[in-house]
Amino acid sequence: MAEQKIEIIERIKKVIKAKGLTQKEFAQAINLAPSTITEYFAGRANPSDKVLKLISKVFGVSYEWLKEGKGEMFEKASFLDMNINDIYYELRQRMKEQFWSIPVIGKVGAGFPQAKGDLEIVGYFDIPKIKGLKPEQLFGAIVHGDSMAPTLLDGDTVIAKIYEGDATNIPNKKVVIVANPDGELYVKRLFKADGKFILLSDNPSYPPIYPEEEGYRVIGIAIKFYREGKL
């Protein structure tokens, strides 16, 4: 019996560690004095069945795992047993595990991308994690107008990797995000011809842009885009 109590205490320690709490924070969450948790850990007292059930309820821990060490630590609640607020919270937690929240940029200052704070964030866009990249390397930009139609339409969100350089190592005909001298963003296709760069629209009715002459600079290389659908 004493060995079983020790194992229960070890499982309680695992719960505290998994939740990233201090002993004091853990105790407060289940309305116990911090000294009570200290007594448990010192082997001078044992948690009652009532305390184990309270830990299970507050932290979503399996009561069977906590008491017997059987099954998984955390219970997976059914959506049928949850209210709308709990469902929303659960979905957000799952999204955090599988998605990144990427800033959508409206304008950039002259210091971007070296000065990451030198930009205007107009919102955030959740995307599935991309292997080989980090979320801080990415940003989103919204397409305005039909200059990139039919490839990209008005309102599409383009996800791009932050780019620092003179564009010489960007593949020809790659879709890029560029900023004009005022920091306004445009989505264009980068062409290289006769040693010069040209920014073209997929819609042929728009004139070419010569970035070196007009002060445009590439700040991102497009990776993928998202389009809002209607049902």
Side-chain angles (χ1 to χ4, degrees), residues 71 74 77 82 103:
F74 293 107
M82 303 167 70

Side-chain angles (χ1 to χ4, degrees), residues 92 94-104 124-139 159-160 223-224 226:
R92 292 300 301 176
R94 293 183 187 182
M95 285 186 68
K96 286 181 181 179
E97 296 174 0
Q98 303 176 35
F99 288 74
W100 288 330
S101 188
I102 303 301
V104 177
Y124 288 85
F125 196 87
D126 292 329
I127 66 168
K129 292 182 178 180
I130 302 174
K131 187 176 181 179
L133 293 175
K134 298 178 180 180
E136 57 267 25
Q137 294 176 291
L138 305 173
F139 70 92
I159 303 301
I223 296 174
K224 57 177 63 181
Y226 294 89

Side-chain angles (χ1 to χ4, degrees), residues 16-87:
I16 294 174
K17 183 177 180 180
K19 292 295 182 178
L21 301 173
T22 64
Q23 289 186 31
K24 181 178 180 181
E25 291 169 337
F26 177 78
Q28 291 174 336
I30 54 176
N31 294 317
L32 290 180
S35 59
T36 300
I37 304 299
T38 301
E39 292 292 300
Y40 290 163
F41 289 177
R44 293 190 290 268
N46 295 315
S48 66
D49 201 55
K50 181 179 179 181
V51 169
L52 296 182
K53 289 180 179 179
L54 188 59
I55 294 172
S56 173
K57 181 178 180 180
V58 171
F59 296 104
V61 174
S62 166
Y63 171 73
E64 186 178 18
W65 174 85
L66 194 59
K67 188 171 184 178
E68 306 290 342
K70 298 178 181 179
E72 300 294 328
M73 180 190 301
F74 293 107
E75 297 177 329
K76 295 183 178 179
S78 167
F79 282 147
L80 296 177
D81 300 324
M82 303 167 70
N83 61 40
I84 188 63
N85 290 329
D86 289 337
I87 291 174

Side-chain angles (χ1 to χ4, degrees), residues 152-183:
L152 298 169
L153 304 181
D154 184 64
D156 287 350
T157 299
V158 177
I159 303 301
K161 180 182 177 183
I162 293 174
Y163 178 78
E164 298 182 63
D166 58 6
T168 55
N169 59 345
I170 298 176
N172 194 31
K173 301 181 182 180
K174 183 68 177 177
V175 175
V176 295
I177 311 296
V178 297
N180 69 9
D182 294 325

